[in-house]
Amino acid sequence: MQEFERIDPSPDRGSFRVVALWALASAAGGIGFAVAFVLEADVAVLGILLAIALAGMAAAIRRYVLATYPQVTGVEERPALPTEAGSAGQVEGVVTAGEQQPAGQRMGRRTILVAGCGIAVGLVAPATAMGPTRPDIGLRTRWSDGVRLLDDEGELLSPAALPDGGLDTIWPEGPDGQPVREELSSVVLVRAPVDRLRPPTHLDGVVDGNLVAYSKVCTHMGCPVGLFRAGTGALFCPCHQASFDATAGAMPTFGPAERPLPQLPLRLEDGVLVAAGEFIGHVGPTTGLRPREGRPTPAEIEGSE
Amino acid sequence: MRNPAAVVVRGIDRRLGVSPLIAKLAVKAFPRHWSFLFGEVAVIAFVILVLTGIALTLFYEPSAAMVTYEGGSTLHQGREMPAAYASVVTLSHDVPGGLLLRRVHRLASHIFVAAILAHLIRVLATGAFRAPRELTHLIGVALLVMAAISGWTGHNLPFDVLAGTSLRILYALVIAIPWVGETLAQWLFAGEFPTGQMLPRMFALHALWAPLIITALLGLHLALIGHQDHTQRPRDDIDAERYVVGEPLWPWQAMTSTVLALGIGAVLAVAAALLPYADLDLHGPYRIGEATNASQPDWFLFWVEGLLRLAPPFEFAALGAVWSAPFLMGVALPLLLVAATALWPWIERAIRGHEDVSHVNQRLHDIPVRAAAVWAGGTFVAVATIAATNDVIARLLDAPIEIVVVVLRVLLIAVPLVAGVTAGLVARRRQQKLAAPEEAAAVEG
């Protein structure tokens, strides 16, 4: 490096008295931090003292260097890049030396390359041990005909428990009488703000004409569809704002969801709500492998009426 | 009294004979400009992250098993919660300095990603990625991706509502990949979401693999810069292609780095003291079937979240697979944008039709195709980022969310188009103006 510019140290660029002051402030901050830490001080006190210790040291070092060293700007010649004719040519000669060999040896090299692919395949196979893979994602839930509905506290539900415009999170009852909190079995029970629900709701799975249950798992990204605009009967996902019409088969009305929330058919047994079967449709987001039931066609909607 | 630094250097040299190397390194010239410090800020943030991260591993428990919290937080006292969440509550409320540690780590992670992003924007805008530095650029983009992965996995470790939600969304994005998505997702998550393996795997990725990979890539990145020297801004007083002008490493650049590191540490400490940040009390632990309003990932993933919110719903079956909006807009498009950024040196060379070997920075508007691409890509990511807060915007403006989404969909297409074309045209006009006197001279000659 050759010198290009130079500024000599001078008193106005930094003095040792200032250096000492900053260094002492830093030390005070550091010791203060240790004391505060032992006394279990609040995060605000600890943070401020630590900042004083660090900032004081930064200022001291800067002042010290400015006061001590001439500020030099240097200039260096950049190393030249190799040219085709120069060193690059030599490297090529080494790498391609094999091509000068007779044909038989070249075949040996190809065999090694092909055999290497075998190793690669062998090393990929253990990935299958990373997790059990099931072909039926989103197809298994705990619901079947006769499974009783439980709320989040594990209580059985009578239709009267849910007032107009009400929404409740529901779980299937397990063998031990406790709610089974499995995501794919989560359900929202909705008292839609209308007298009668409209198709494509499966009306024979509805109680009181307006009490209906849908999967709580958004068909967009799987977030829980937990918000209900009681006035319009819209179910709403907090993640990406997908909206579903709870009064009409939970069809998507707005936002990024493509498919309706699957309906869980209900019936009454001994005065409490039970499932009348499995979900109608596939639970959860789209997978990249198997087509899911999409929107019902207009003909299907009319046909169910 | 002998200078202790000299004693150390001499001692090393007597054993290894490296004094020529040290002498060369000590006077290595570092071109001076504030925009050249972004990379350095990222390195400093990474060092702070590793140091605070080591301390955090002593307290964190990567388990979703339900436990009962007992301790100083009155909000959580006696409640059931995942062990991971409980360990973070304990660290925040019952370990002296624990909250400071968590906040500094969390804030440093934002600075880490932001500094790499600013660095990338500088490199793209000034053409510093051009030959012979394409490899350095490629590694730089890989570092950005690794930084984002580190940030995302770290964000999920406390296993609060936001963490569970973001894990659920990743799982949904992976299963949406045609053909292999279902299998891939179950490999990654060790089964169907949610599994007990999620947290241990994410912890290993966050605390072991990501820092190892970042360290390796960073070493390579710095070695390449050391070997090839820095680029620099054009100079009037010297041929900047042939000579590099700057401060020597010792003591000036070393002083700048040290002061910068201490300064960043001080800023982080003050911020951790004053900002009620990274507090778990706001959200509560993840419970299956629960999510909150205003669910957003960390800011550097807003653009992917925004694309998911704006994508109109569609899916169709073809070639034995399902092609859906979440895959095309939420997986394929972001990966395509990252790949285009990483491969930009080669893409630009192919478009312009000639290789441009240079050590001198340009202005963004010197090259029309680059100006168009950077403005179009940058504004696209910016609008998508804004779209990730569409629910908040709707609430603030008291406007229906439906209208906000439609407006943002239009802006997502229109703004990059207008910005890209305008930037390209401005740059081309500028180029023609610069070329004009030469043409005039050629006609005269």
Side-chain angles (χ1 to χ4, degrees):
Chain A
M1 186 188 82
Q2 286 178 330
E3 210 168 289
F4 194 69
E5 286 164 359
R6 181 192 183 94
I7 307 169
D8 282 317
S10 62
D12 55 308
R13 286 170 62 78
S15 78
F16 293 107
R17 186 181 303 167
V18 178
V19 172
L21 272 175
W22 279 118
L24 284 175
S26 169
I31 294 167
F33 179 81
V35 172
F37 196 93
V38 172
L39 296 177
E40 299 196 6
D42 185 69
V43 60
V45 178
L46 290 176
I48 299 286
L49 288 170
L50 182 62
I52 291 172
L54 296 173
M57 187 48 73
I61 289 174
R62 188 179 148 73
R63 286 289 165 172
Y64 172 77
V65 173
L66 282 173
T68 313
Y69 293 89
Q71 186 166 3
V72 174
T73 304
V75 56
E76 277 181 311
E77 189 164 2
R78 291 181 184 278
L81 291 170
T83 57
E84 290 282 337
S87 51
Q90 288 172 20
V91 172
E92 248 167 62
V94 174
V95 172
T96 58
E99 283 174 17
Q100 315 303 324
Q101 306 292 335
Q105 287 184 21
R106 261 187 283 169
M107 207 180 75
R109 196 176 54 184
R110 255 177 227 143
T111 314
I112 288 179
L113 281 174
V114 172
C117 298
I119 297 183
V121 171
L123 289 179
V124 167
T128 57
M130 282 174 68
T133 50
R134 307 186 59 119
D136 53 353
I137 285 189
L139 299 181
R140 288 165 299 112
T141 72
R142 297 279 180 151
W143 295 106
S144 59
D145 185 38
V147 174
R148 298 200 285 184
L149 278 68
L150 296 181
D151 68 9
D152 212 34
E153 276 79 49
E155 303 289 331
L156 290 165
L157 283 125
S158 71
L162 211 61
D164 266 0
L167 169 126
D168 209 352
T169 296
I170 299 298
W171 308 96
E173 184 183 30
D176 57 353
Q178 293 297 309
V180 182
R181 295 172 198 274
E182 283 180 6
E183 189 201 36
L184 293 179
S185 300
S186 61
V187 160
V188 280
L189 182 68
V190 175
R191 175 76 76 175
V194 289
D195 291 335
R196 280 194 68 76
L197 294 163
R198 287 176 288 122
T201 318
H202 295 265
L203 295 171
D204 40 355
V206 171
V207 172
D208 290 354
N210 65 358
L211 190 61
V212 63
Y214 298 108
S215 164
K216 198 179 179 183
V217 185
C218 186
T219 55
H220 177 232
M221 288 281 102
C223 286
V225 182
L227 305 175
F228 188 44
R229 285 176 177 163
T232 57
L235 282 163
F236 196 67
C237 179
C239 285
H240 305 104
Q241 291 77 46
S243 302
F244 304 89
D245 185 357
T247 66
M251 291 289 285
T253 50
F254 169 75
E258 158 77 3
R259 287 175 295 112
L261 299 170
Q263 183 186 344
L264 181 73
L266 302 177
R267 61 185 173 82
L268 277 176
E269 195 177 282
D270 305 329
V272 298
L273 291 167
V274 302
E278 297 180 34
F279 282 112
I280 305 166
H282 293 175
V283 177
T286 299
T287 91
L289 194 57
R290 283 163 297 122
R292 295 277 164 106
E293 287 146 35
R295 291 160 173 269
T297 61
E300 282 172 318
I301 294 175
E302 277 172 30
S304 66
E305 220 160 347
Chain B
M1 198 175 71
R2 287 174 70 192
N3 185 330
V7 173
V8 171
V9 169
R10 184 162 299 175
I12 291 174
D13 187 44
R14 273 176 50 206
R15 288 159 181 84
L16 303 175
V18 290
S19 67
L21 197 66
I22 294 175
K24 205 178 146 207
L25 211 61
V27 296
K28 189 168 182 57
F30 285 70
R32 245 186 118 164
H33 189 260
W34 58 268
S35 70
F36 289 165
L37 290 178
F38 291 139
E40 207 149 324
V41 171
V43 174
I44 291 163
F46 181 61
V47 172
I48 293 173
L49 284 168
V50 169
L51 294 178
T52 50
I54 289 171
L56 286 169
T57 58
L58 303 178
F59 301 97
Y60 178 69
E61 190 182 344
S63 161
M66 296 302 274
V67 298
T68 306
Y69 168 78
E70 302 281 347
S73 165
T74 44
L75 185 68
H76 296 99
Q77 170 63 31
R79 296 201 177 185
E80 273 226 321
M81 58 189 77
Y85 186 88
S87 73
V88 180
V89 174
T90 302
L91 175 60
S92 308
H93 287 276
D94 306 311
V95 176
L99 191 56
L100 181 72
L101 184 66
R102 282 194 53 225
R103 284 185 182 170
V104 168
H105 188 79
R106 197 77 208 274
L107 288 166
S109 79
H110 292 308
I111 290 188
F112 184 47
V113 180
I116 299 178
L117 211 53
H119 184 44
L120 173 68
I121 291 170
R122 172 185 70 82
V123 166
L124 287 175
T126 64
F129 56 79
R130 287 174 299 163
R133 292 183 177 75
E134 305 98 317
L135 267 184
T136 322
H137 170 72
L138 198 60
I139 296 169
V141 175
L143 277 165
L144 178 59
V145 171
M146 286 310 301
I149 291 175
S150 295
W152 184 80
T153 50
H155 160 276
N156 292 340
L157 289 180
F159 212 45
D160 58 0
V161 168
L162 289 182
T165 304
S166 80
L167 277 165
R168 184 64 180 92
I169 292 172
L170 179 81
Y171 181 80
L173 283 175
V174 178
I175 63 170
I177 298 172
W179 298 299
V180 295
E182 287 188 15
T183 309
L184 203 61
Q186 293 178 83
W187 283 354
L188 285 177
F189 282 74
E192 205 172 348
F193 179 92
T195 71
Q197 280 297 304
M198 293 188 309
L199 286 174
R201 284 192 180 180
M202 225 163 24
F203 183 50
L205 186 60
H206 180 77
L208 179 69
W209 296 110
L212 268 183
I213 294 169
I214 289 173
T215 306
L217 290 174
L218 189 60
L220 211 54
H221 194 74
L222 295 179
L224 285 177
I225 294 168
H227 184 69
Q228 292 185 320
D229 285 337
H230 296 75
T231 62
Q232 66 188 338
R233 288 149 61 78
R235 294 184 73 101
D236 298 331
D237 50 1
I238 198 163
D239 178 5
E241 288 288 3
R242 200 170 155 198
Y243 298 97
V244 53
V245 179
E247 297 183 325
L249 175 60
W250 189 264
W252 289 100
Q253 184 61 30
M255 185 269 282
T256 304
S257 303
T258 312
V259 169
L260 196 60
L262 291 166
I264 290 172
V267 168
L268 288 175
V270 168
L274 302 180
L275 299 177
Y277 186 71
D279 285 350
L280 289 175
D281 303 0
L282 287 176
H283 298 295
Y286 176 62
R287 290 183 67 211
I288 289 167
E290 275 181 24
T292 68
N293 256 334
S295 293
Q296 266 103 7
D298 276 338
W299 60 272
F300 48 84
L301 291 175
F302 268 25
W303 64 292
V304 180
E305 168 84 2
L307 290 175
L308 283 174
R309 291 182 181 210
L310 293 190
F314 65 85
E315 63 186 62
F316 58 91
L319 306 169
V322 178
W323 306 79
S324 60
F327 168 71
L328 293 171
M329 292 278 283
V331 181
L333 186 60
L335 288 180
L336 203 68
L337 258 172
V338 172
T341 309
L343 299 177
W344 182 250
W346 291 275
I347 296 172
E348 185 186 287
R349 185 184 305 168
I351 296 174
R352 294 176 64 198
H354 68 95
E355 186 181 42
D356 188 8
V357 182
S358 173
H359 305 292
V360 181
N361 295 158
Q362 294 168 303
R363 292 162 61 129
L364 177 56
H365 290 176
D366 286 347
I367 311 295
V369 58
R370 189 187 303 157
V374 168
W375 272 101
T379 49
F380 182 81
V381 171
V383 175
T385 295
I386 292 168
T389 62
N390 61 0
D391 51 339
V392 180
I393 294 172
R395 202 169 56 236
L396 288 180
L397 298 182
D398 202 17
I401 179 92
E402 289 84 351
I403 306 262
V404 173
V405 166
V406 169
V407 169
L408 283 168
R409 275 179 188 161
V410 172
L411 291 180
L412 186 69
I413 307 292
V415 173
L417 215 60
V418 171
V421 169
T422 309
L425 289 178
V426 167
R428 178 179 289 177
R429 169 158 301 182
R430 194 180 126 87
Q431 209 177 35
Q432 282 164 348
K433 242 184 222 166
L434 287 175
E438 285 167 29
E439 275 166 28
V443 170
E444 276 171 35

